[in-house]
Amino acid sequence: MTFLSPEFIYLMLLPAGLLVYLITTNKDALERVFDEKVLERLRIGGDALGRHGHNTLIFLAFFLMTLALARPVIEQGEEVVRLKGVDTVVALDLSLSMKAKDFYPDRLAFAKQKVAELLPDLPAGRVGLLGFSSGAFIVAPPTTDRDALLFLLRRLDESSADARGTDLMAALKGAAKLLKEGGVVLLVTDGGDGKAMAPLVDFARAYGLKVVVWMVATQRGAPIPGNLLPEGKKDSTVLTRANTALATLAKESGGLYVPATLSQQDEARIVRWFEGLHEKAKSYEKVVQKRIELFYYPLALALLVLPFALYSMGGRKVLGAVAAVVVLALPKPAEAGLMDFALIEKGVSAYRAGDFKTSVDAFEKLAMRSPKPEVWLDLGDAYYKMGRFKMACDAYSRVVTKDLRLESAKLYNLGNCYARLGELQKAAAFYEKVLRIWDDPDARHNLQVVKEAMKRRPKPKSGGKAGEKERNERRDAKGEGAEASEERSQTPGVSEAKAKRRKISAFEERKWMELIESQPLKAKLYPLTPPTKKSDANPW
């Protein structure tokens, strides 16, 4: 066993010595006046621990907390993890035109949500993040820590950059500084006003950059909010549209042009493109230190000892307190409260009325309070109806039950979700599991449709992967097979059985982290490339 922060032990030596001195020499006011034998006769009821016992427990709790601060661990050596992937930089447009509202709630918020959904699905490789307007600003260098990137992404907004305008060349130059040996630039933007793509194409080729343009704007366009426009323009209507000229940049650099959609089809296209590129990706190694953390053991003992050190009690009370601590530590069933039934009624009513967002909110709160299989199934149904198929898969996968009725519904709906996501092999596997439980005609029908869709999918030519043109023309298989009307989920509703007290779930942790991450990023970003004076035709 070793200590990761042994300096805490040394720093606590002086306070510990002072504490020992005070414990051994200090006397209360009565002890200074009366003799110890006289005090014993005067006391009506004795304290089972006594003054020295309490002082000893205080010192013991102090010592255990110090050990916890020193972080004791059991080292298990180093492990070399071999990864294969391509370095990528996500360049997010922070110009004022990204506040247009042709996507809800605006282009920038919609783009951040899309990138957050895409990051976990990208093949292994380092991913960096930068924001750009008329200059490029570093948010995170290329890293394999996707959780850190998600944390920084959600706290990023247009106020993090002082410069205005849109300079695509600044984005490419900033990406080139992060990708020293070339890689992929995922350009998330509405395109600005520029039409000349030749300089951008030449730069991308010179630095070995493949540009994937994720166009977060519509052809119809939307106005920029007047309060964001510069003085003299506030009363004007400034309409911005998707700059389709960026399709040339994507094509000529060997990348991909993808218009953003409300569904997850655009994300699926980008992931498939990265998977095709992944076959030629470079390999690298990462050394991971494996260890077992032990700090919570001394910390738990300190918290257990501290109440006995601070409060006086008789011998029987000590035993009773110990018994009470043990009993409270044991898991007990928690009665379903009135709030649970109110959430059930709210979720079911909203689901039947077609208000699936309200239904999701109700069932999410219910899942935090009472994580029963029926609740997770109902939450998955609501996610499915909203078109959030990945989140529906996560909810369905939490349904753990011996009830064959619930298990069959879970497997059937997982098959529907994976069919919608275009993962037809997984969908077929889940339909087959349903058929092993019972002969379900809907599952048999969906299995047949999915198998036919798998046969119609183009296969790569022998001796190599499918060409870029073939990949771009590949038909998206989402939606083939299971129709929404055939999801045949059980009517939302949960039983009134008692729920067991449990430890914090990953779902609760994620919800709490969202509250923390919602705070805006206060610090300004470090400029990789200085803003240019003529970055765009307009200051937005």
Side-chain angles (χ1 to χ4, degrees):
M1 184 179 70
T2 58
F3 293 94
L4 297 182
S5 304
E7 62 273 11
F8 282 101
I9 297 178
Y10 306 129
L11 291 174
M12 292 299 177
L13 286 178
L14 182 59
L18 181 60
L19 182 61
V20 171
Y21 173 76
L22 293 175
I23 288 174
T24 56
T25 61
N26 189 38
K27 294 182 179 182
D28 59 30
L30 292 176
E31 287 179 337
R32 294 191 182 99
V33 176
F34 296 99
D35 184 77
E36 185 176 351
K37 294 181 180 181
V38 176
L39 281 178
E40 288 295 331
R41 295 178 181 179
L42 292 176
R43 287 193 179 104
I44 297 175
D47 186 356
L49 294 175
R51 185 174 64 85
H52 294 293
H54 285 288
N55 292 337
T56 303
L57 289 180
I58 290 175
F59 178 77
L60 179 60
F62 179 84
F63 175 73
L64 291 171
M65 290 180 181
T66 303
L67 284 182
L69 286 173
R71 285 189 65 188
V73 297
I74 297 177
E75 297 286 357
Q76 293 185 320
E78 295 182 345
E79 182 178 357
V80 178
V81 179
R82 290 177 174 81
L83 301 174
K84 184 178 181 182
V86 58
D87 288 347
T88 304
V89 166
V90 178
L92 181 62
D93 192 344
L94 298 179
S95 61
L96 291 181
S97 60
M98 291 292 286
K99 301 300 289 184
K101 300 183 182 299
D102 45 356
F103 285 101
Y104 181 81
D106 56 52
R107 292 175 183 173
L108 181 58
F110 183 80
K112 287 166 58 178
Q113 179 61 31
K114 280 288 190 178
V115 174
E117 293 177 355
L118 177 70
L119 279 178
D121 294 333
L122 288 180
R126 298 187 302 169
V127 180
L129 180 62
L130 62 83
F132 74 94
S133 52
S134 59
F137 306 87
I138 184 171
V139 180
T143 177
T144 56
D145 190 347
R146 304 290 173 88
D147 291 334
L149 288 175
L150 289 172
F151 180 80
L152 294 171
L153 173 67
R154 288 170 179 151
R155 296 165 63 91
L156 186 64
D157 57 38
E158 77 285 351
S159 64
S160 304
D162 291 327
R164 294 292 176 256
T166 303
D167 189 352
L168 299 176
M169 181 61 79
L172 295 186
K173 289 181 178 179
K177 289 186 176 182
L178 296 179
L179 302 172
K180 300 185 183 299
E181 299 180 2
V184 177
V185 181
L186 179 57
L187 198 61
V188 187
T189 179
D190 57 7
D193 299 327
K195 301 297 181 182
M197 295 293 113
L200 299 175
V201 172
D202 293 341
F203 184 88
R205 288 176 175 174
Y207 285 87
L209 303 177
K210 295 181 182 294
V211 183
V212 177
V213 178
W214 204 350
M215 181 56 63
V216 189
T218 60
Q219 291 293 326
R220 184 178 179 180
I224 301 175
N227 62 310
L228 298 178
L229 296 175
E231 294 295 334
K233 295 274 188 180
K234 291 186 179 295
D235 296 331
S236 304
T237 300
V238 179
L239 192 68
T240 65
R241 298 183 176 88
N243 186 0
T244 56
L246 267 68
T248 303
L249 170 62
K251 181 179 179 181
E252 296 297 327
S253 65
L256 179 69
Y257 180 84
V258 182
T261 64
L262 295 177
S263 67
Q264 295 172 320
Q265 295 180 6
D266 49 346
E267 298 170 32
R269 284 188 61 191
I270 294 174
V271 169
R272 287 200 298 270
W273 184 85
F274 270 94
E275 288 174 348
L277 191 67
H278 187 65
E279 298 175 4
K280 295 183 178 179
K282 63 180 180 180
S283 299
Y284 56 94
E285 296 181 349
K286 181 179 180 180
V287 179
V288 179
Q289 186 71 35
K290 298 182 65 178
R291 57 172 63 102
I292 300 176
E293 294 277 0
L294 302 175
F295 72 91
Y296 36 83
Y297 291 113
L299 183 59
L301 288 174
L303 294 177
L304 182 63
V305 167
L306 203 55
F308 298 100
L310 298 177
Y311 297 99
S312 300
M313 57 189 70
R316 292 183 179 180
K317 291 183 179 180
V318 171
L319 294 177
V322 173
V325 170
V326 174
V327 170
L328 290 175
L330 295 176
K332 290 184 178 180
E335 296 289 343
L338 294 176
M339 182 61 69
D340 292 356
F341 297 109
L343 289 173
I344 294 170
E345 179 63 27
K346 181 180 179 181
V348 173
S349 301
Y351 185 93
R352 291 173 178 169
D355 186 1
F356 302 117
K357 185 179 184 303
T358 302
S359 181
V360 163
D361 292 339
F363 285 127
E364 281 182 346
K365 294 177 182 177
L366 185 60
M368 293 176 64
R369 297 169 57 90
S370 178
K372 302 175 185 176
E374 295 90 345
V375 175
W376 288 116
L377 188 67
D378 294 343
L379 180 57
D381 294 343
Y383 279 140
Y384 185 95
K385 284 292 190 179
M386 287 185 67
R388 313 307 294 177
F389 303 121
K390 291 182 181 179
M391 299 179 74
C393 285
D394 180 69
Y396 288 137
S397 64
R398 296 173 184 270
V399 177
V400 179
T401 178
K402 294 182 180 179
D403 186 341
L404 294 182
R405 177 184 62 85
L406 287 178
E407 183 69 13
S408 173
K410 176 192 80 171
L411 296 173
Y412 183 88
N413 289 336
L414 278 171
N416 288 350
C417 286
Y418 283 114
R420 292 289 185 180
L421 291 170
E423 301 183 33
L424 302 184
Q425 290 183 345
K426 288 185 178 180
F430 280 108
Y431 290 138
E432 290 171 351
K433 290 181 180 179
V434 175
L435 295 175
R436 293 193 195 106
I437 297 176
W438 68 296
D439 187 15
D440 183 353
D442 292 333
R444 194 184 329 108
H445 169 76
N446 289 348
L447 177 61
Q448 183 64 30
V449 174
V450 167
K451 286 184 176 180
E452 291 177 359
M454 292 168 64
K455 292 178 181 178
R456 293 197 301 269
R457 268 191 170 180
K459 296 183 178 179
K461 298 179 181 180
S462 58
K465 63 178 182 177
E468 182 62 34
K469 181 179 179 181
E470 185 177 359
R471 285 202 310 274
N472 290 336
E473 294 176 353
R474 186 177 299 169
R475 183 164 53 88
D476 185 24
K478 288 180 183 178
E480 294 186 354
E483 296 293 333
S485 61
E486 295 176 346
E487 70 174 306
R488 200 210 42 195
S489 304
Q490 305 299 325
T491 302
V494 295
S495 65
E496 301 177 11
K498 295 180 180 180
K500 293 184 178 180
R501 182 174 295 178
R502 83 291 184 202
K503 297 180 180 179
I504 179 174
S505 65
F507 178 79
E508 291 172 301
E509 183 179 358
R510 184 168 64 250
K511 294 296 290 185
W512 290 340
M513 283 300 297
E514 288 176 359
L515 295 176
I516 299 173
E517 294 167 3
S518 62
Q519 300 299 320
L521 186 66
K522 299 298 182 183
K524 298 298 181 182
L525 299 176
Y526 175 77
L528 274 173
T529 59
T532 57
K533 294 183 178 179
K534 294 183 179 180
S535 59
D536 205 347
N538 294 301
W540 47 79

